[in-house]
Amino acid sequence: MAQFGAKCQPDRSQSLLLASTCVAHCSPAGVGRQGGYLHGQGRAATTSGFGPRQTPSITVPSVFTVTGTAQKDAWDRNVVPPVEKVRPGLWSVPVPIPNNPLRYVSVYVLELDNGVALVDAGWPTDDAWDALNAGLAEAGGSMSDVRAVVVTHLHPDHYGLAGRVREASGAWVGLHPEDASLLDARYHDTDGLVERMRELLAMSGVPEDKLPDLALASMEIKATLDVALPDILIEDDQRIDLPGWDFRAVWTPGHSPGHICLYSDNHKLLLSGDHVLPRITPNISFHSQQFANPLGDYLESLAKVRALHTDEVLPAHEYRFSGLEDRVDVLTKHHADRLLEIKGILEKSPGISCWDITLALPWSRPWDDIHDYMQRAANGETLAHLVLLERRGEVVREATFPARFYLAE
């Protein structure tokens, strides 16, 4: 059984305490309350043949400002944005995500001296594959030009097409080792993952009649995935082999254990993956494929990117923006407010379960309108906040079944 009632270990360990997450992406945005979804300078010309270069004029204010205005306009109109030349040698290609309010993931195409590199790849469907190929063509190239696929994290809207791209182009695929170590259990041999999820949900207080639906939610993704192991493991602060660019990896655990952002000091540019999004909060859940304190890790990772000298942020969803410090402060305050809300619930109702706390919290839509896998993600978010409060000495739990939480005396 998952030892949910046991005290968390102080190190980052993937112990049985952390029972399982969804096999598919538990929504990159999560179910946080913020937002509508639950809860440069030019460089030298290359010879890749991806169209003429134009040097943009960029004014960077110190507060949050939307810079991807075409993306924002498309988002507001509920349509997919155009393929866009973000700056010389860098393109944004929207790749659709099926049946998801996020609609698409932005795959970034970096021109190299001998082809292109992709940052993320897209969801593993034929529609996504066609969109990715069409985007490369609009940028002046083709799939055969791809030399590298740098994946920010293991979720299927980012990693799902990486193997197919490699097969078609011969490109290498890179991923952080923490996420690489989880691929088999997450997408192939999933029986143990589902069982640990069921144990965690039961320990959380999920009613017996809801356990099957929540434990198996999003398992349909398994049939569509043929996830290939990465060729290269990308470590924190590693300069990535992308000729003509100075991007280095910034390890930002929280949304996943091996999430990375890409930072260019020359261009003051951050490709943020799902770590920092302009409108919504990424899902930060406690589960068996996480470290022992995922929200604590996430808050530390936010501080880490806040210290970078960044003029513009290119996220994997929604739209580009500037004012990273301002956005990080808003995200940090969101979680601080959530911690206070949970403490307020425990003050009024001591000894309740994680599931009951989740039901008592406000969400951005009525609870009955939230899909099963998102309800599971919401429970995981609540649990991540409870774990952080426990580690701070502000909350204690009773090792009952389900576990009961109280404010520390």
Side-chain angles (χ1 to χ4, degrees), residues 68 132 141 186 193 224 254 288 295:
L132 181 57
R186 189 179 187 90
L193 195 67
T224 69
S288 70
L295 181 55

Side-chain angles (χ1 to χ4, degrees), residues 128-142:
W129 177 253
D130 291 344
L132 181 57
N133 278 274
L136 288 168
E138 188 166 342
S142 69

Side-chain angles (χ1 to χ4, degrees), residues 26 37 61 92 148 153 193 213 242-243 245 292 299 321 350 361 367 406:
C26 278
Y37 195 35
S92 174
H153 60 294
L193 195 67
D213 290 340
L242 302 172
W245 298 90
L299 295 173
F321 64 95
L361 286 166
W367 185 254
Y406 302 83

Side-chain angles (χ1 to χ4, degrees), residues 146-160:
V146 179
R147 302 291 177 261
V149 185
V150 180
V151 184
T152 59
H153 60 294
L154 81 168
H155 293 155
D157 53 330
H158 301 259
Y159 198 80

Side-chain angles (χ1 to χ4, degrees), residues 206-281:
V206 173
E208 185 70 27
D209 61 345
K210 286 192 69 71
L211 280 176
D213 290 340
L214 266 63
L216 292 169
S218 66
M219 278 298 294
E220 65 272 9
I221 185 62
K222 182 178 177 180
T224 69
L225 276 170
D226 183 17
V227 175
L229 295 177
D231 305 289
I232 295 175
L233 298 179
I234 301 174
E235 300 282 358
D236 186 31
D237 205 37
Q238 178 178 329
R239 173 78 175 257
I240 302 173
D241 184 16
L242 302 172
W245 298 90
D246 69 327
F247 280 108
R248 64 179 174 88
V250 183
W251 183 34
T252 51
H255 183 54
S256 79
H259 190 289
I260 60 170
C261 301
L262 276 64
Y263 177 70
S264 167
D265 188 58
N266 289 342
H267 298 275
K268 301 295 184 285
L269 189 65
L270 183 72
L271 276 61
S272 67
D274 285 358
H275 183 55
V276 182
L277 301 172
R279 189 184 62 91
I280 49 181
T281 61

Side-chain angles (χ1 to χ4, degrees), residues 25 29 55 65 140 160 193 205 215 349 365:
H25 193 183
T55 302
T65 304
L193 195 67
S349 304
R365 63 185 64 179

Side-chain angles (χ1 to χ4, degrees), residues 23 34 127 144 147 156 158 203-204 223-224 228 230 236 255 310 344 349 367 396:
V23 174
Q34 194 164 3
D127 286 345
S144 63
R147 302 291 177 261
H158 301 259
M203 283 287 189
S204 296
T224 69
D236 186 31
H255 183 54
T310 302
S349 304
W367 185 254
V396 295

